[in-house]
Amino acid sequence: MSSTDIHLHQHTAHGHAHDEHHELPWIRKYVFSEDHKIIAKQYLFTGIFWALIGGAFSLIFRLQLGFPGANLSWLKPVLHGWIDNGGKLDPDFYLALVTMHGTIMVFFVLTAGLSGTFSNFLIPLQVGARDMASGFLNMLSYWFFFISSVIMLWSLFISTGPAAGGWTVYPPLSALPQALLGSGAGMTMWLVSMALFIVALLLGGINYITTVINLRTYGMTFTRLPLTIWAFFLTAIIGLLSFPVLFSASLLLIFDRSFGTSFFLSDIWIDGAPLAHEGGSPVLFQHLFWFLGHPEVYIVLIPALGITSEIIATNSRKPIFGYKAMIVSMLAITFLSFIVWAHHMFVTGMNPFLGSIFMILTLIIAVPSAVKAFNYITTMWRGNLIFTPAMMFSIGLVSFFISGGLTGIVLGNSAADIQLHDTYFVVAHFHLVMGSASFFGMLAGVYHWFPKMFGRMMDEKLGYVHFWCTFVGIYFVFFPLHYIGLAGFPRRYYQFTNFDAFQTFGDLNMFVSIAAIFTFAAQMLFLFNFFWSIFKGRVAPANPWRSNTLEWTTPLHPEHGNWPGEIPHVYRWPYDYSKPGAAEDFIPQHIPYSQTPSSNLPGEKDPD
Amino acid sequence: MSQSLEIGIAVVLILAILVLIFRIQALVSVMRGSYRKRAGLSNKVNAILFVVFALVGFGTFFWFSFGTEYHLPVSSSEHGIHTDFMFWLTMAILVIAFVITHIFMISFIYKYQFDENRKAYFYPENHKLEFVWTIIPAIVMVVLVYYGYRTWNDIFKMAPADRMEIEVMGQQFNWLVRYPGADGKLGSHSYKKISPDNQFGLILEDQTGWDDFAPREIHIPKGKPVLLRIRARDVLHSVYLPHFRVKMDAVPGMPTTFWFTPIQTTAEKREELGNPNFNFELACAELCGRGHFSMRYILVVDEPENYKKWVAEQKAWAEVNREYVVKTIKPEYKDKLPEIKVATPDAPTVAPADTTTPKATALNIK
Ligand code: HEM
Ligand SMILES: [Cu+2]
Ligand SMILES: [Cu+2]
């Protein structure tokens, strides 16, 4: 502890000197900024931008699925040649939309947009640090993400269209331009973009980890870290261990595509000619992809769970139930997330013995997940619940986490998965547990930390309307997809009219599409509220939610360096809400025990 | 044009009105100072809405789940009966968990709304409780794993010796199907031999392939185990027989297999569903490109006698393509070419020691 201590003081002194001497030029302050708070906002704005594009794409393909054969010529001004003269959407472009939708949502919105925003914003503020361990690397991280975004965006406009082989980009389809229109230049851009994205993510992740380990303020032990920080910390570790595997897979795929190697290709005859590739295995790619891909769903989910823990505790005015159990479950999930990947591959032809092993490991992960859900609910028991918009979205998250997580248990069962794999049942499952839950975590985080980000409050009433429209809308969209999946409908189908078996459910598909349009439209309420409040919102009080964590001890508009004076010290865990004997229903972390004699439990005293 | 102008104006007006309402609402709340209260009327409204949502939601869920016919008809394969049972058993447990957790959550939301005069109960942990609810899901998981493991191993155990075999090959964007013919052996093949005339890439010199036949529909006899030998020649595909609960990827360079036993003929299924036009269908379940959604093939389950009759009507592939075969086959084999025979149904359906068909399958049917 003492060595950290010295380091911290040095850092503080340095921070002061730095701040006093020179005012930074505008471009260094707001564009190429090294301030974690600015970088967080850059991630947030970019994430919102991508969410709109990804969401809009889902609407276009939902139109195709809900109203097959409808005349879509009115989209011609936007989509040009991808709508034919009869007003029909091009099947290649349908696949491109699905692929880009998945890629954008998973990587750009819920990885960069969520972790990038909240890890950046909250880690220094909540552990009591002036900034990230390396502001420069942090800046670099955002700009790598930015370039990656530009490339992906650009790929939407090239004549052969963007990558279209699904967000999982399985070769040989993604490797052979002659197999799919999107596997030409679009796929090359996808791979380059993802490689840069991974660099961005690793630079960010290294920073998050270093900051949490080294820059905690005096007294901020690991067992006093808010669960948000635990979540971001573990997420960064998962990312650090799993993303390089996707990097290698992408690299090998680039080799197969451009340099004639055969890592993933073998025995292929296409376009009137056999290919020279021999000895590769497409299944190998799937192993590599899912070695990242499954941890990735937790990279997306765990930060949202961390945010929810914080918000539910604060707004229940109660300590989070089972703080240690929450940490242990997150640790367990982190570990297990690395050894379940092949549950995505039960019917790929891999050895069935592997199938049974991965079924067992997958079902184990249900246990820590269940513990987390129980703990959220118990936190609300006998609480004093304040339904702020952030709290509402957190409750929504718990609901999605349960309804979507449960169906994972049946999908993890390899025998049942034979039928369910690659049907809409899977689409329903992962949209609830990963898509919607994480999306709600992100929205909850924005509503909760908006006052700290912009010094103003968002409008509550509008927040409620936004919540109810979105919550109901999402269940309307994704719950019916379970039934469609049980009826056997395969995913990534341009239309279902070719099969007798998939003739039913035209009406339900239409309903889903209408609900999707409604849900998307409801997000405009959020956008309006967000941008309006940045400029016109009511000025926020210092600690609007009466929260215990350190970020609320900073000034309303914290400068680079966060605290004008010394960094506050920490004396207690972050969940002293409604402590018996205390005057208020919260005791922030920086209040020493010596100031709260009436509420101290046996053994609680300040260190000498 | 003028119509879209009108729509545009209407939209702008509606938006303006909405913004106005929003502003008035915000100003009123500032005047009333209601934001200074820790929790106002909205808190109560939201709590009630959660209850309403739960009631309506559960109502719709149960009404739709039990009131409508939405899932696939009863499985027409033997193992499908088991996987379906397991699915519904698991589902029953999941629905119970879903309902119970939500009832708890929603009732807490309603019951513990903010009250200025009450203090929340400081309750950071309870090891006994935590232990119990770790153990209960763990036990449930053990049971599910046990059933799942047994069912899975049953499905993937070695195919019975009295099985018949069919080759199913995926290509962009249709299926090609090949039967081993009278000798019960599929002729060997190589992707390098593929040509427009030789879609399977048959090695013509391999005599076991001379009686193979390639029908336009798959026919299988009821009650007999069928082993599908699955391959792909361009990209990934996936053999998906929804009514038989069968799915297995077709992988270029890595032959796969799946075996199942049909327990219902097409005619019986038609009767069961009251639909004289019903057909079993083979679909593709792995994205394979532009035409992925259109890879349809018909599968017919016959009574064994009818199946024999059907087989007897099939012409061998080499006979149908005799001209090509004669032209292409190595000269020294040309004389050996018999009058390529029509398949005879009485021959053994599977050869004892199978050496010519692809061995490198990752699915160990050993
Ligand atoms: C407006 C909300 C959304 C709607 C209506 C929607 C709808 C859909 C549908 C219907 C599909 C399946 C298409 C198919 O397989 O043919 C799909 C695919 C997908 N969605 Fe969404 N989605 C939404 C939001 C999200 C979010 C928030 C995520 C974040 C995780 C997400 C992630 C994905 C992924 C990963 C795929 C798979 C893409 C692929 O198959 O390659 N979606 N979406
Ligand atoms: Cu997974
Ligand atoms: Cu396909």
Side-chain angles (χ1 to χ4, degrees), chain B residues 237 284 286-288 292 295:
Chain B
H237 302 269
C284 179
E286 183 62 63
L287 178 56
C288 56
H292 170 52
M295 288 181 60

Side-chain angles (χ1 to χ4, degrees), chain B residues 185 350-357:
Chain B
K185 285 186 190 170
V350 78
D354 180 340
T355 48
T356 47
T357 39

Side-chain angles (χ1 to χ4, degrees), chain B residues 37 122 168 253 261 358:
Chain B
K37 274 200 273 177
F122 188 83
V168 181
T261 310

Side-chain angles (χ1 to χ4, degrees), chain B residues 7-202:
Chain B
I7 295 180
I9 293 174
V11 169
V12 170
L13 281 180
I14 291 175
L15 285 180
I17 293 173
L18 287 177
V19 172
L20 205 66
I21 295 177
F22 162 71
R23 281 307 285 159
I24 293 172
Q25 170 277 126
L27 289 177
V28 167
S29 93
V30 171
M31 296 255 293
R32 287 218 196 115
S34 63
Y35 66 87
R36 266 188 286 270
K37 274 200 273 177
R38 290 187 64 185
L41 182 62
S42 317
N43 222 49
K44 175 157 267 162
V45 172
N46 280 321
I48 292 172
L49 282 177
F50 269 116
V51 177
V52 173
F53 173 80
L55 292 178
V56 175
F58 281 134
T60 318
F61 170 44
F62 284 107
W63 163 72
F64 199 84
S65 299
F66 294 109
T68 49
E69 189 59 40
Y70 52 86
H71 44 82
L72 283 165
V74 180
S75 169
S76 302
S77 71
E78 204 172 284
H79 75 273
I81 303 282
H82 297 286
T83 53
D84 279 8
F85 174 76
M86 221 181 54
F87 173 82
W88 290 113
L89 177 77
T90 314
M91 224 45 193
I93 298 172
L94 300 184
V95 168
I96 292 172
F98 174 61
V99 173
I100 290 183
T101 46
H102 272 79
I103 287 180
F104 273 113
M105 185 166 81
I106 302 286
S107 55
F108 295 165
I109 286 174
Y110 185 75
K111 197 155 165 214
Y112 301 112
Q113 296 166 44
F114 186 79
D115 177 352
E116 196 85 48
N117 305 316
R118 203 187 57 210
K119 205 164 180 180
Y121 176 43
F122 188 83
Y123 190 59
E125 58 192 356
N126 177 339
H127 291 303
K128 207 182 273 173
L129 198 59
E130 289 169 72
F131 179 75
V132 169
W133 71 37
T134 309
I135 285 299
I136 291 176
I139 292 173
V140 174
M141 290 310 132
V142 168
V143 174
L144 292 179
V145 163
Y146 173 74
Y147 276 113
Y149 184 84
R150 273 193 21 187
T151 316
W152 174 255
N153 281 352
D154 268 355
I155 294 171
F156 282 101
K157 70 180 179 226
M158 210 166 77
D162 68 337
R163 66 178 182 257
M164 58 178 280
E165 292 186 8
I166 306 175
E167 180 186 66
V168 181
M169 178 172 83
Q171 65 156 337
Q172 290 180 323
F173 295 98
N174 60 294
W175 300 102
L176 292 170
V177 174
R178 184 161 63 114
Y179 282 64
D183 64 354
K185 285 186 190 170
L186 286 161
S188 48
H189 58 82
S190 156
Y191 76 101
K192 291 180 181 153
K193 301 276 181 198
I194 297 176
S195 73
D197 295 313
N198 186 359
Q199 296 276 348
F200 291 97
L202 291 186

Side-chain angles (χ1 to χ4, degrees), chain A residues 322 383 387 399 419 421 493 582, chain B residues 43 102 118-119 124 247 281 284:
Chain A
F387 299 114
S399 175
Q419 174 69 5
H421 178 72
Y493 264 37
Chain B
N43 222 49
H102 272 79
R118 203 187 57 210
K119 205 164 180 180
K247 193 176 288 134
E281 290 172 308
C284 179

Side-chain angles (χ1 to χ4, degrees), chain A residues 432-454:
Chain A
L432 285 178
V433 73
M434 163 172 83
S436 307
S438 307
F439 185 57
F440 266 40
M442 190 165 162
L443 287 171
V446 172
Y447 278 105
H448 194 77
W449 280 287
F450 189 90
K452 193 75 263 159
M453 288 181 171
F454 300 102

Side-chain angles (χ1 to χ4, degrees), chain A residues 58 61-62 94 98 101-102 105-106 110 166-167 424 427 430-431 434-435 477-478 491-493 516:
Chain A
S58 73
F61 62 73
R62 268 313 331 171
Y94 175 90
V98 172
H101 163 78
M105 287 300 192
V106 173
L110 293 178
W167 81 284
Y424 266 82
V427 177
F430 74 71
H431 273 92
M434 163 172 83
V477 174
F478 296 118
R491 65 191 279 209
R492 293 167 175 172
Y493 264 37

